[in-house]
Amino acid sequence: KRARKLAEVQTSKVVRRAAFIELNLTGKIDYDETKSANIVAHFSGRVEKLFANYTGMYVEKGTHLAEIFGPDLYINQREILIAHSSLLNAEQEKVIEVKNKLLKTYNSVMSKMRVLGFTKEQIQKVIDRGTVSDTLVLYTPISGTIINKNIVQGQYFEKGQDLFIISNLNDLWLNLDAYELDLPFLKYGQKVIFEVDAVPGKKFEGKIIFIEPILNKETRTSNVRVVIDNSERVLKPGMFVKATVSVQVGEK
């Protein structure tokens, strides 16, 4: 006993516990696609005025982004004014068959204008104003940061072209590359701890929300997506990340 005391030997009871290891993963931060809006051109035209004129600009929901010209906008607005006027006249005459027919025409023109990018409020303004224009103002449907701007003032664009991408950066995605040997240990909801070079010494965390079911044949990796809280706006899309995941490898 005296010898053991002098040697400062410590003992403990042998118990069975779960074994854990840490997986080291690398990846990159990206914006959350579920909290983003892609502003697409629904017709060919030209940018008359550009109000949101730089990437990184924060815009509130309903902010005007640009005023765009389209050769068909004048015609479509004339159609809605004619359809609305005809419908009002039919309601005064109280002819049900005519009224139903004109109502279908009115709704058809409304749908066509919505496809072109008009909001309900903009269509109502055209009707209330009683005049037409060959331009359309684009508004942002969400509050967020402009992370991609593909137009400049005076530029022509084609139908289907991406004009803006706006994202709410309060939540971000972390896309990690996991090798096929690591995949069996990764699960939905698992906590991920990570660091970025831009904020040395600080650890961030998130949870796995998606594991890609397909393996990349060249890299032998699958994408593991982690959702992270960025309410403090410290993290930015494009940052490289070193992450660790603590996983249980055995119950005994």
Side-chain angles (χ1 to χ4, degrees), residues 64-81:
H64 53 295
L65 301 172
E67 184 179 342
I68 56 179
F69 163 82
D72 296 332
L73 293 176
Y74 186 93
I75 298 172
N76 292 122
Q77 291 176 73
R78 285 292 301 166
E79 287 181 348
I80 195 64
L81 288 180

Side-chain angles (χ1 to χ4, degrees), residues 59-248:
V59 288
E60 292 283 352
K61 181 180 179 179
T63 301
H64 53 295
L65 301 172
E67 184 179 342
I68 56 179
F69 163 82
D72 296 332
L73 293 176
Y74 186 93
I75 298 172
N76 292 122
Q77 291 176 73
R78 285 292 301 166
E79 287 181 348
I80 195 64
L81 288 180
I82 293 171
H84 182 260
S85 177
S86 300
L87 186 59
L88 287 180
N89 292 334
E91 287 178 346
Q92 290 176 358
E93 295 177 5
K94 298 181 180 180
V95 181
I96 297 176
E97 294 80 5
V98 175
K99 180 182 175 182
N100 290 339
K101 185 177 180 181
L102 290 174
L103 183 60
K104 288 182 180 179
T105 302
Y106 176 79
N107 290 333
S108 176
V109 177
M110 283 276 286
S111 297
K112 190 190 299 184
M113 293 186 71
R114 294 299 302 275
V115 169
L116 287 174
F118 282 88
T119 64
K120 289 181 179 180
E121 293 76 17
Q122 285 175 309
I123 296 172
Q124 189 59 49
K125 281 183 180 179
V126 172
I127 294 172
D128 294 341
R129 191 174 62 232
T131 58
V132 298
S133 172
D134 55 8
T135 61
L136 171 67
V137 177
L138 299 178
Y139 297 94
T140 171
I142 64 170
S143 298
T145 301
I146 299 174
I147 61 174
N148 204 337
K149 180 185 74 70
N150 297 317
I151 53 174
V152 295
Q153 189 159 312
Q155 175 185 331
Y156 284 87
F157 54 83
E158 296 297 326
K159 181 179 179 180
Q161 181 178 331
D162 292 338
L163 305 180
F164 297 93
I165 297 179
I166 298 168
S167 182
N168 185 331
L169 301 182
N170 286 336
D171 292 304
L172 295 173
W173 280 352
L174 168 57
N175 292 312
L176 299 171
D177 295 320
Y179 287 100
E180 54 184 317
L181 293 175
D182 297 333
L183 290 174
F185 303 111
L186 298 173
K187 297 178 177 60
Y188 296 98
Q190 214 164 22
K191 186 166 73 171
V192 177
I193 306 296
F194 65 94
E195 298 179 10
V196 295
D197 291 337
V199 192
K202 183 173 176 59
K203 293 185 182 295
F204 302 90
E205 66 177 61
K207 288 186 177 181
I208 295 175
I209 59 168
F210 174 76
I211 300 174
E212 192 175 22
I214 301 171
L215 194 70
N216 187 304
K217 293 180 180 179
E218 295 179 0
T219 62
R220 309 304 298 173
T221 62
S222 284
N223 174 256
V224 176
R225 186 177 302 151
V226 178
V227 64
I228 51 181
D229 175 26
N230 190 41
S231 53
E232 295 182 0
R233 296 299 183 94
V234 176
L235 303 170
K236 302 181 185 302
M239 285 182 171
F240 287 100
V241 165
K242 295 177 182 176
T244 58
V245 184
S246 180
V247 298
Q248 184 176 321

